Amino acid sequence: MDMLGKLVDKGIPDKEWWGHILSWNIRHGSGARSWWPGWMIDFLMAGKAENPLDFQRGVVSVPLRIIDSVFGPPVNDIGELVAGTVGYTVKEGDRGPVLEARQGWVLLLPKGSPVISRIRGEDL
């Protein structure tokens, strides 16, 4: 990933490089197609980047075992922790639109999990 060196370069910014982060190209006529070019495509490993499904998901999930034997009778269960980029906002900036990613997380537990009662403080 040679591009990462540019992200941490000190001194005079490489405006040519920063000016090619991401664009939207449309070609009409014979061989018509549309695609996203720019170094961000390589960074995100989006391949041909012709539609949003070419980009990797911005959310990951992992199983999570929760054990609490400190605050009352012992309880435990396995849930799913989901975290990542869950949306974005677009604002009008001085020189054009500004896109800001929104991060979030959620803990998913099975219905009736004893951990839910513990979180609510119902079985203390």
Side-chain angles (χ1 to χ4, degrees):
M1 294 234 165
D2 295 333
M3 74 199 73
L4 295 180
K6 293 280 190 181
L7 291 173
V8 295
D9 271 352
K10 303 281 191 232
I12 300 171
D14 182 343
K15 292 181 181 180
E16 179 69 20
W17 185 80
W18 281 104
H20 291 91
I21 296 172
L22 189 63
S23 303
W24 179 245
N25 287 344
I26 299 175
R27 187 170 288 156
H28 302 280
S30 179
R33 73 181 191 109
S34 52
W35 73 101
W36 294 95
W39 60 259
M40 184 61 76
I41 300 304
D42 296 330
F43 182 73
L44 297 174
M45 296 178 284
K48 60 187 183 215
E50 293 179 350
N51 68 61
L53 295 178
D54 294 328
F55 293 85
Q56 294 185 25
R57 294 180 340 142
V59 177
V60 296
S61 64
V62 295
L64 180 67
R65 176 174 291 283
I66 299 172
I67 302 169
D68 180 15
S69 56
V70 176
F71 297 103
V75 296
N76 73 81
D77 207 343
I78 296 177
E80 192 84 9
L81 180 63
V82 182
T85 303
V86 296
Y88 60 91
T89 58
V90 179
K91 299 176 184 173
E92 192 59 42
D94 294 338
R95 297 185 304 164
V98 176
L99 182 76
E100 183 177 351
R102 295 290 180 197
Q103 310 299 317
W105 65 271
V106 64
L107 174 61
L108 304 174
L109 292 165
K111 188 173 185 173
S113 170
V115 174
I116 296 171
S117 297
R118 179 61 51 87
I119 290 171
R120 292 179 177 158
E122 296 171 352
D123 67 346
L124 298 177

